[in-house]
Amino acid sequence: GNYSSEFSASLTIHNTELGDGGNYMCTASAIHHTSQATFEVHVYAHPSKPVVSKVTELKQLELVCQSEGFPPPTTTWRRSTELLEDDGTRLSITYAIEDGT
């Protein structure tokens, strides 16, 4: 008669990091046959607490806010409760995203 047995294998990644995302493949092989399954893994991270540094020069103040997360966090600036926006004159706001790969 036919005889088959079931086998299970698992992969566990401890202390997952953003770099752990990607395609993972499981391959099961027997004497005359091979089967594969691919898993696409996305790792998400909450935004880190922003780190603010200030650079002051004569008549100029620059505040830099850095935070990490995936997807990249959005950043807004406020003074008290007032939302600050780039006015093209006195106040300029720039954004930069560094690709961690």
Side-chain angles (χ1 to χ4, degrees):
N2 290 340
Y3 178 76
S4 68
S5 60
E6 190 172 303
F7 180 77
S8 175
S10 63
L11 170 69
T12 304
I13 300 173
H14 299 278
N15 300 316
T16 308
E17 299 176 351
L18 286 175
D20 293 327
N23 291 323
Y24 289 80
M25 185 180 305
C26 174
T27 303
S29 300
I31 296 171
H32 299 290
H33 186 71
T34 299
S35 294
Q36 295 179 336
T38 301
F39 302 89
E40 186 175 353
V41 176
H42 298 273
V43 179
Y44 296 93
H46 295 289
S48 63
K49 183 174 181 179
V51 176
V52 178
S53 59
K54 63 181 177 179
V55 179
T56 56
E57 296 177 13
L58 186 62
K59 296 187 179 186
Q60 180 174 317
L61 170 65
E62 179 181 7
L63 300 175
V64 179
C65 177
Q66 293 180 306
S67 181
E68 294 180 346
F70 185 82
T74 57
T75 305
T76 56
W77 287 96
R78 295 183 181 275
R79 181 177 181 199
S80 298
T81 58
E82 177 188 3
L83 179 64
L84 301 176
E85 297 184 47
D86 193 325
D87 64 9
T89 55
R90 285 193 62 231
L91 183 64
S92 70
I93 299 174
T94 57
Y95 299 95
I97 297 175
E98 292 183 21
D99 187 358
T101 59

